[in-house]
Amino acid sequence: MDELVREGLITRKRGKGTFVTYQSEGINIFTEPSLIMQMKKLGISIHSRVVAAGEGPLEKEISGYFEEGGENFCKIRRVRYIKNHPLILEANYIAPGWAKDLLKQNLNIISVYEYLEQANGIRFDSYHIEARPVLLSTEDKQLLGLEDTRVQLIILKKDIVGMCFDLTAFYQGKVVMFNRRLIDGKNVQISADYDPGNRQFTVTNGKITLPSD
């Protein structure tokens, strides 16, 4: 029953009972960090379009996630297409020495998580996830297909609230990769359970609704 709750298939309401949840197809970002692995389990197609890839210093807002500095961080920015729809705008930042030959791979189809583990002979042993609402920039909206790329009158432009998920991947206490994902906010639903005994909330689902076709 707990697993069904985590998957978003049922909900529990104190004093009322257990109810089947209306299901639009989706994935839970808190259960598996690799989008490709999640899509494989569901038998759903996923590919990427590379916006930028290379090496260089970290932007100021990203630098705080890593202990070390340096110029040769591997940086990859991609639009992730699920069922041929641009759903997630993703940026990966990999610490020096860990990327190996990643930039020589086909970044349109590769799982960065899987590659880093295989190339370095490791398994990531912990992750940290932060989620917050953000206003999508004009470029973000265009890359996600939420705004026409043609010139528009400013009066026709509108703000779109997105959800930003920051995932930090660790190996033996060291940050190997920082992964930022931007998603149209209307496609995200986060739910949590509260335990009065421990006075703690536990996140049970971070659902990203998938395109219907």
Side-chain angles (χ1 to χ4, degrees), residues 32-131:
E32 167 59 59
S34 170
L35 290 173
I36 288 181
M37 290 299 292
Q38 288 212 41
M39 293 303 101
K40 282 182 179 179
K41 292 177 182 177
L42 296 172
I44 295 174
S45 63
I46 177 172
H47 68 277
S48 304
R49 177 169 68 86
V50 179
V51 179
E55 292 186 344
L58 293 176
E59 293 83 351
K60 185 177 180 179
E61 64 170 316
I62 304 297
S63 61
Y65 289 92
F66 291 87
E67 294 180 1
E68 70 270 38
E71 298 290 315
N72 56 337
F73 279 82
C74 178
K75 303 189 292 185
I76 301 170
R77 193 163 180 245
R78 304 184 290 180
V79 181
R80 311 304 300 273
Y81 287 76
I82 298 176
K83 297 183 178 181
N84 293 317
H85 291 268
L87 191 67
I88 299 172
L89 180 57
E90 179 182 77
N92 290 294
Y93 301 84
I94 298 128
W98 291 93
K100 306 301 182 184
D101 290 326
L102 175 60
L103 294 177
K104 297 179 181 179
Q105 309 304 310
N106 184 348
L107 299 175
N108 294 315
I109 61 173
I110 196 172
S111 166
V112 173
Y113 283 91
E114 287 186 70
Y115 177 83
L116 292 178
E117 288 185 331
Q118 293 174 4
N120 292 284
I122 65 168
R123 292 284 292 178
F124 290 122
D125 48 33
S126 64
Y127 297 89
H128 177 72
I129 301 179
E130 297 177 5

